[in-house]
Amino acid sequence: MTDGFDDLGWARPDTGREARLGLPEVVYGPGKSTGQVADVVRSLLAANGGPVLVTRMDPGAAADVLAAVPGGHHDAQARLLTWRPAPPLGFALAVVSAGTSDGPVAAEAAAVAEAVGLTVTRIADVGVAGVHRLLAERERLAAADAVVCLAGMEGALPSVVGGLVGCPVIAVPTSVGYGATFGGVTALLAMLSSCAAGVVVVNIDSGFGAAMAAFRIAHGTWGASARARDRPSSTNR
């Protein structure tokens, strides 16, 4: 172990990331052998106290890693391995998806968010082709501290949600749709062009990226509150 990272010879897990950002480094599973994933997970578990996550893991590879590093959990739909999930922060996140086909990306967003301490409400199949379905969920949307909003096809849902709520809206374009959707590019461009001011957009199919954006909002809010509480008060005379 060296200053801020663990030199494994073939990889350098960032053991100092939890101190800097509030969470340990998250491991991207594809492209690594199960032995490599297990070695990185052991390093991060030993060096940090927070949750350790591995994304995009299929069931077979996940089982091999869990056999090598017991104590974790695999969410098959989200393709997420988790050790030591964080306790709840008290931050409410709504994960809203346009259609059933967006489910795997929504599952990743929800599972990552829950693993890092956010309290998640799932709202599914409320796309703009039947906007009354979304309007029926206004109370649950209004209760959220942030919304992750997923849509493929024409990608219109985040604009509608952005006009209904005052909290941060994190839009996720999905690769769902026919040829003219270009694997999610149409939804991506629509979300980037949203007329709902302040909607932010992550990469195509990046449920992970959306959950981490929500965590940064939560961590920054709670961190700012803690800093304000700890700051000495002053009185101008």
Side-chain angles (χ1 to χ4, degrees):
M1 193 82 67
T2 186
D3 186 22
F5 64 92
D6 187 5
D7 191 347
L8 302 180
W10 53 271
R12 300 184 183 190
D14 184 355
T15 55
R17 192 171 301 186
E18 183 177 37
R20 299 195 313 273
L21 304 184
L23 279 178
E25 180 179 7
V26 175
V27 184
Y28 178 67
K32 299 178 179 69
S33 70
T34 54
Q36 289 173 329
V37 172
D39 285 348
V40 174
V41 168
R42 289 191 195 96
S43 173
L44 295 172
L45 286 170
N48 298 279
V52 173
L53 312 179
V54 184
T55 64
R56 304 295 171 101
M57 293 293 286
D58 63 54
D64 289 343
V65 174
L66 288 172
V69 189
H73 169 74
H74 182 238
D75 184 321
Q77 187 182 23
R79 296 180 292 168
L80 182 72
L81 274 169
T82 305
W83 287 261
R84 281 192 320 226
L89 291 171
F91 188 94
L93 179 70
V95 175
V96 182
S97 51
T100 306
S101 296
D102 301 310
V105 184
E108 181 181 59
V112 171
E114 288 176 340
V116 300
L118 309 188
T119 301
V120 175
T121 297
R122 291 278 300 272
I123 300 174
D125 201 20
V126 289
V128 298
V131 73
H132 56 292
R133 300 174 297 184
L134 177 68
L135 297 178
E137 297 288 356
R138 279 177 290 188
E139 287 189 12
R140 289 208 288 170
L141 289 170
D145 296 310
V147 177
V148 167
C149 189
L150 307 96
M153 299 291 188
E154 82 295 331
L157 183 62
S159 288
V160 180
V161 171
L164 294 175
V165 301
C167 65
V169 176
I170 303 159
V172 187
T174 69
S175 54
V176 171
Y178 301 101
T181 61
F182 299 107
V185 172
T186 296
L188 171 66
L189 296 177
M191 292 174 186
L192 288 170
S193 304
S194 174
C195 61
V199 170
V200 297
V201 187
V202 298
N203 207 347
I204 297 168
D205 290 339
S206 186
F208 167 75
M212 294 304 295
F215 172 79
R216 283 181 178 266
I217 293 167
H219 182 67
T221 301
W222 265 247
S225 299
R227 288 191 294 273
R229 287 194 303 269
D230 295 340
R231 189 179 301 123
S233 59
S234 62
T235 304
N236 293 324
R237 298 183 182 276

